[in-house]
Amino acid sequence: MKYCSQCGSTITEQIPDGDNRIRFVCAACDTIHYQNPRIVAGCLPVWGDSILLCRRAIEPRRGYWTLPAGFMENGETMQQAAERETLEEACARVTGLRLYTLFDLPHINQVYTFFRAELLDDRFCAGDESLEVKLFSQAEIPWSELAFPTVGRTLEYFFADRVQQTFPVRNEAIAPMPMARRQV
Ligand code: ZN
């Protein structure tokens, strides 16, 4: 950040009084521009035995498969964000959302959350950010072509939990991934 979004003056980096971290501070209008983690919300859309995945049309990870998810907008709930992203990326409508996985990704300042959900019907198609959208059975999941670790972890939990038919909320931190490791 170089310029103050309030008054346009040059920003300095300093520790404000009573704080213990370096912040972006405007010396002209005294505004402190806090930087905080961003929340990504998405769905695990279920249709019978299958899961709906989207192949990304945008970077990062263009061409890789993901669950529909994206950054929350101001003024909406996490469930609304998850529903909206599913509609935008997969043109799919979902119902019965239940919080399922919540991942902390402190190395990229994000919190990632997925809701289990049922597709309302079997009508879906690729939205602007998707190359294609498709239902996958457990045996068909393209594990080596998943876009993000959060997607792989959520699918792993789901297929394990489905055997027991109990789906506790999962919360874990995900560490940065060595480049060589398989992307799941
Ligand atoms: Zn200012």
Side-chain angles (χ1 to χ4, degrees):
M1 185 177 292
K2 283 188 74 175
Y3 301 105
C4 178
S5 56
Q6 295 293 315
C7 76
S9 298
T10 304
I11 291 284
T12 60
E13 292 187 41
Q14 61 185 78
I15 300 176
D17 289 343
D19 204 339
N20 56 10
R21 291 171 186 260
I22 293 175
R23 308 288 185 186
F24 294 112
V25 179
C26 175
C29 75
D30 290 335
T31 299
I32 303 170
H33 298 274
Y34 294 99
Q35 308 271 294
N36 300 102
R38 295 203 289 175
I39 294 175
V40 176
C43 281
L44 173 77
V46 178
W47 180 253
D49 281 342
S50 297
I51 305 295
L52 193 69
L53 296 179
C54 307
R55 201 154 73 86
R56 290 172 62 81
I58 55 171
E59 296 294 347
R61 306 292 284 164
R62 186 178 194 277
Y64 289 80
W65 291 92
T66 186
L67 293 165
F71 290 110
M72 274 183 83
E73 300 287 357
N74 290 340
E76 67 183 1
T77 66
M78 286 211 298
Q79 285 200 22
Q80 287 167 344
E83 287 174 353
R84 175 181 53 72
E85 291 291 342
T86 304
L87 188 61
E88 288 176 2
E89 296 183 2
C91 308
R93 293 175 305 147
V94 286
T95 186
L97 276 71
R98 278 144 295 180
L99 181 64
Y100 187 44
T101 52
L102 198 159
F103 301 99
D104 296 289
L105 298 111
H107 58 291
I108 52 172
N109 305 319
Q110 288 180 13
V111 174
Y112 229 103
T113 188
F114 286 104
F115 292 83
R116 287 190 298 125
E118 282 99 48
L119 286 175
L120 264 184
D121 51 50
D122 62 353
R123 290 182 300 152
F124 51 79
C125 65
D128 287 343
E129 297 181 0
S130 303
L131 296 170
E132 63 182 304
V133 175
K134 209 172 129 186
L135 287 168
F136 291 86
S137 69
Q138 182 175 359
E140 295 166 337
I141 296 288
W143 294 103
S144 62
E145 296 166 43
L146 297 180
F148 306 110
T150 53
V151 173
R153 295 295 290 148
T154 297
L155 291 171
E156 286 170 359
Y157 278 134
F158 178 77
F159 293 125
D161 289 344
R162 191 169 67 174
V163 175
Q164 310 294 334
Q165 281 296 303
T166 60
F167 301 91
V169 173
R170 312 285 189 166
N171 178 205
E172 67 184 46
I174 290 186
M177 181 154 296
M179 290 304 287
R181 196 179 143 190
R182 190 174 64 120
Q183 294 277 338
V184 295

